[in-house]
Structure formats: structure tokens, C-alpha cells
Amino acid sequence: MLQIPCPGKDTEGLGQSSDSIQNPTDERREPAEERLEKMCGAVRTLLECMGEDPHRYRVDIDSIINGAVFCEGHDEMIMVKDIDIHSLCEHHLIPFTGKMHIGYVSSGAVIGLSKLPRIAEIASRRLQIQERLTKHGARMVMDVLQPQGVAVVMEASHLCMEMRGVEKKGSTTVTSCVLGCFKERDVYNEFLRVLGIN
Ligand SMILES: [Zn+2]
């Protein structure tokens, strides 16, 4: 599956500093850990002043799944396609949006179908890069269900790509993560066939 990395290591001034962009205050800056702590504190203060409870962003996966795992003795492929995803690129703090497709082959237990979009949502509700978001989605399904395998494919448009430069408008980044039995070619091919890609 095609994998195009998120364009995070540019030097066009949106993200990281580079050797060519010297910040005169760099030498006097505190260690990265201290800076991170300060920034976290600042964001927490902002949220609190807006009347938010910053702690509510800690989501407990078990409370989301809430017992919606059923023993069905089912061992066929189950797939939920076209799950809407909205996330924030951690390199540029700019949205990326797209669709996630999640498939799994049960080891007997199945999950309430509405829970797969919830899992995708939990994975996307943090600063992310698409590659990691795809992996998080797959691992969460693996942890919750312990199926024979999980496959996740995600297609997304990154505003950070579209905003900078020409020739990038309308491009789509595709990532995939396969675990367990999906590593077998025929199982993965079946997944792609049902997805309409193969
Ligand atoms: Zn980005």
C-alpha cells in the first residue's frame, strides 16, 4: 500500500526550525522538557479560562466500548467503510480530514458496529500524523477484541499540504496498517476487494 509521509520536516517556516533559520533567543532557551511543560500549562490555562475541563479529554476506551463485545462464534471478515475522520496534523496544527476503513477477522467475539467509528474518533482526537492515527486505530481494535487480524486503510487530505505551494491541491495521502491474519496476501486481497480498491 502506498505510504506518503506527512510533510513535517520542511523549512518553509510553518513548523520546525532549521539550521538556516536561526532564532536569536535559541541559546537562552530552557531545555525542551521545561518548554513542553510550560506550553502544556499555557494550553491548560486557556482551556480552563474558556470554561473547559481539560481532564475530560482523557478518554477511557473501556467506557466507550461499554460491554458492546459479543461472543458470536463468527470468524468471517467484518468491515466498516468510510468513517469520517477529522484530526489535527501535529507538525503544523492544521486539520487533515478523510475516511478510515476498518476491517477485522473475528476470533469469535464481535463488537457493536457503531463502536468502530468511536474507536476511530478516539484515535483522531489528539494531535496526530496520519501514519500513527492509522496504526492507533488498528491497535485499539486489536486490544479490545483480540481478533485474528485487523486492517485499517485511511485516505486523507492535508490542509498543510494544500496551503503551501502549487500542484498539491486535491492530493490524497493513503496509509494502511495490517495486523495478524491480514499479513497473509489472500486475506488482505479480500479486504481490498470488499473495499473496492482491488
Ligand atoms: Zn502537516
Side-chain angles (χ1 to χ4, degrees), residues 6-8 10 14 88-96 128-129 158-161 164:
C6 182
D10 66 289
L14 261 182
L88 266 190
C89 157
E90 72 176 21
H91 295 134
H92 303 107
L93 302 183
I94 292 176
F96 64 96
Q128 274 289 15
I129 58 172
H158 292 248
L159 199 53
C160 59
M161 274 176 91
R164 293 172 304 140

Side-chain angles (χ1 to χ4, degrees), residues 71-157:
C71 201
E72 281 292 327
H74 190 79
D75 62 355
E76 300 296 323
M77 192 179 298
I78 297 161
M79 196 189 305
V80 175
K81 285 165 46 164
D82 296 325
I83 300 167
D84 274 322
I85 294 287
H86 304 272
S87 193
L88 266 190
C89 157
E90 72 176 21
H91 295 134
H92 303 107
L93 302 183
I94 292 176
F96 64 96
T97 58
K99 302 275 187 195
M100 185 182 274
H101 319 290
I102 303 177
Y104 70 93
V105 176
S106 168
S107 303
V110 297
I111 190 170
L113 289 178
S114 67
K115 300 298 181 185
L116 291 176
R118 288 292 284 131
I119 286 175
E121 191 187 3
I122 294 165
S124 66
R125 284 247 177 114
R126 57 188 76 169
L127 295 177
Q128 274 289 15
I129 58 172
Q130 185 179 330
E131 296 88 330
R132 195 191 311 120
L133 172 49
T134 309
K135 251 183 238 167
H136 275 169
R139 294 240 170 87
M140 274 198 253
V141 177
M142 203 68 184
D143 289 348
V144 167
L145 275 182
Q146 272 142 26
Q148 295 180 52
V150 180
V152 173
V153 168
M154 188 177 163
E155 314 165 69
S157 311

Side-chain angles (χ1 to χ4, degrees), residues 30-104:
E30 60 269 61
E33 232 168 76
E34 277 176 41
R35 265 183 284 147
L36 183 64
E37 207 167 295
K38 258 190 185 176
M39 287 192 285
C40 290
V43 171
R44 199 174 301 124
T45 305
L46 271 176
L47 289 171
E48 282 166 357
C49 290
M50 287 159 62
E52 269 290 359
D53 171 11
H55 299 289
R56 82 185 183 90
Y57 293 97
R58 289 181 204 283
V59 180
D60 176 11
I61 181 86
D62 292 334
S63 70
I64 298 294
I65 299 309
N66 195 22
V69 173
F70 312 100
C71 201
E72 281 292 327
H74 190 79
D75 62 355
E76 300 296 323
M77 192 179 298
I78 297 161
M79 196 189 305
V80 175
K81 285 165 46 164
D82 296 325
I83 300 167
D84 274 322
I85 294 287
H86 304 272
S87 193
L88 266 190
C89 157
E90 72 176 21
H91 295 134
H92 303 107
L93 302 183
I94 292 176
F96 64 96
T97 58
K99 302 275 187 195
M100 185 182 274
H101 319 290
I102 303 177
Y104 70 93

